[in-house]
């Protein structure tokens, strides 16, 4: 929790230095809101309230980064750097997608990619209400990762290969009906700075690992969707390969 709050304070400091007082006050207000909600709660309810208050603040703060990051770091994008790292360290993802892309595969991987939200929010509810004894451990890890992710977004803002258009990526994907429908919606939900590290990977792998330790039934249920989600991040050109490695760390 401290790491997540610390990340918000870093944003607030950057906004203050840029003269964006209102945005900085809203960021500080988010930290104060969580503190007040949990401080006044009965001790046995603190974990549940943190499990509900933090996701609300996290979701709002994530979408706010579409405004706050450009205010703090205007005109700064690292897409060319990330692509150069990909080319020097990893395989040619464009050639691979061109070789394997099929409409049905694009539809399946798009569906898996969209399961990130259901996986995370259903796990939050599950550990807040049904496995309360594990809630503090899960939420502590979850929001430490979000703190790391938000700092990464600020340190290395990038749009991702789909947006940056450093190469022509769309003709390589054989689009099925579901991908054709969902792809514009996914892009609308991006903040254009939310690439490095990949929180899709970081949160999904952390949650899956937590399930492996505490609930094998849930682990086996989510294993294949998370595997599909992991492939989808690069197959659909929403992330660079180095983003996935950073998310795994």
């Amino acid at each position: 929790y401290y790491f997540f709050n610390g990340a918000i304070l870093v944003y607030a400091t950057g906004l203050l230095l840029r003269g964006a007082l209102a945005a900085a006050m809203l960021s500080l207000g988010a930290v104060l809101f969580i503190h007040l909600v949990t401080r006044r709660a009965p001790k046995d309810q603190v974990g549940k309230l943190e499990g509900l208050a933090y996701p609300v603040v996290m979701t709002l703060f994530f979408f706010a980064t579409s405004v706050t990051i450009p205010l703090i770091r205007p005109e700064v994008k690292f897409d060319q750097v990330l692509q150069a790292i990909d080319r020097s360290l990893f395989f040619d993802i464009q050639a691979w997608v061109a070789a394997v892309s099929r409409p049905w595969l694009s539809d399946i991987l798009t569906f898996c990619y969209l399961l990130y939200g259901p996986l995370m929010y259903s796990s939050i509810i599950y550990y807040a209400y049904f496995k309360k004894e594990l809630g503090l451990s899960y939420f502590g890890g979850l929001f430490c990762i979000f703190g790391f992710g938000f700092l990464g977004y600020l340190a290395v803002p990038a749009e991702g290969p789909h947006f940056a258009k450093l190469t022509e990526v769309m003709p390589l994907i054989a689009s099925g009906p579901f991908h054709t429908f969902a792809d514009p919606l996914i892009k609308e939900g991006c903040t254009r700075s939310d690439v490095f590290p990949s929180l899709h990977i970081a949160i999904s792998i952390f949650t899956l690992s937590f399930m492996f330790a505490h609930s094998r039934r849930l682990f086996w249920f989510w294993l294949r969707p998370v595997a599909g989600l992991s492939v989808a991040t690069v197959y659909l050109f929403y992330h660079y390969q180095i983003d996935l490695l950073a998310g795994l760390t």
Side-chain angles (χ1 to χ4, degrees), residues 94-155:
Q94 293 173 347
W96 175 74
V97 172
V100 305
S101 185
R102 301 290 186 276
W104 61 267
L105 182 59
S106 300
D107 284 347
I108 291 173
L109 292 179
T110 300
F111 179 76
C112 289
Y113 189 83
L114 289 171
L115 288 176
Y116 167 74
L119 167 64
M120 181 180 66
Y121 288 108
S122 66
S123 298
I124 287 171
I125 293 171
Y126 180 71
Y127 290 115
Y129 285 96
F130 302 103
K131 285 289 184 178
K132 292 182 282 188
E133 68 277 10
L134 299 174
L136 287 177
S137 297
Y138 179 71
F139 299 137
L142 184 72
F143 292 104
C144 180
I145 293 172
F146 270 111
F148 168 76
F150 286 145
L151 290 176
Y153 291 168
L154 184 61

Side-chain angles (χ1 to χ4, degrees), residues 5-244:
N5 290 339
I8 295 180
L9 292 175
V10 169
Y11 274 75
T13 302
L15 291 166
L16 282 173
L17 292 175
R18 288 291 182 178
L21 182 60
M25 291 299 101
L26 287 173
S27 299
L28 293 173
V31 176
L32 182 61
F33 166 74
I34 294 174
H35 176 71
L36 291 176
V37 166
T38 56
R39 184 182 181 185
R40 296 178 179 275
K43 188 174 182 180
D44 61 341
Q45 296 293 313
V46 169
K48 182 188 294 185
L49 288 172
E50 286 182 334
L52 296 176
Y54 272 94
V56 171
V57 172
M58 173 273 298
T59 302
L60 294 175
F61 193 79
F62 168 77
F63 287 109
T65 59
S66 63
V67 176
T68 56
I69 291 177
L71 283 173
I72 299 171
R73 306 197 69 187
E75 306 300 326
V76 177
K77 294 294 181 185
F78 282 83
D79 288 278
Q80 290 184 329
V81 174
L82 296 175
Q83 187 185 65
I85 293 173
D86 269 14
R87 287 177 171 174
S88 63
L89 296 180
F90 304 106
F91 67 97
D92 186 348
I93 188 67
Q94 293 173 347
W96 175 74
V97 172
V100 305
S101 185
R102 301 290 186 276
W104 61 267
L105 182 59
S106 300
D107 284 347
I108 291 173
L109 292 179
T110 300
F111 179 76
C112 289
Y113 189 83
L114 289 171
L115 288 176
Y116 167 74
L119 167 64
M120 181 180 66
Y121 288 108
S122 66
S123 298
I124 287 171
I125 293 171
Y126 180 71
Y127 290 115
Y129 285 96
F130 302 103
K131 285 289 184 178
K132 292 182 282 188
E133 68 277 10
L134 299 174
L136 287 177
S137 297
Y138 179 71
F139 299 137
L142 184 72
F143 292 104
C144 180
I145 293 172
F146 270 111
F148 168 76
F150 286 145
L151 290 176
Y153 291 168
L154 184 61
V156 189
E159 295 183 304
H162 202 113
F163 286 113
K165 298 189 183 301
L166 300 178
T167 56
E168 196 62 38
V169 298
M170 284 306 295
L172 302 179
I173 300 176
S175 184
F178 186 73
H179 173 260
T180 301
F181 166 76
D183 183 63
L185 301 178
I186 293 172
K187 289 191 288 187
E188 283 295 320
C190 296
T191 67
R192 308 291 284 265
S193 298
D194 54 340
V195 168
F196 184 92
S198 170
L199 286 182
H200 272 73
I201 294 297
I203 297 300
S204 298
I205 297 301
F206 165 72
T207 300
L208 198 65
S209 301
F210 197 86
M211 289 174 175
F212 181 82
H214 300 289
S215 178
R216 295 293 171 86
R217 179 176 56 85
L218 287 175
F219 169 80
W220 290 115
F221 177 82
W222 282 105
L223 178 60
R224 279 187 244 183
V226 169
L229 182 155
S230 302
V231 174
T233 56
V234 292
Y235 174 94
L236 298 172
F237 296 104
Y238 296 138
H239 281 281
Y240 301 100
Q241 295 171 78
I242 189 62
D243 304 336
L244 276 63

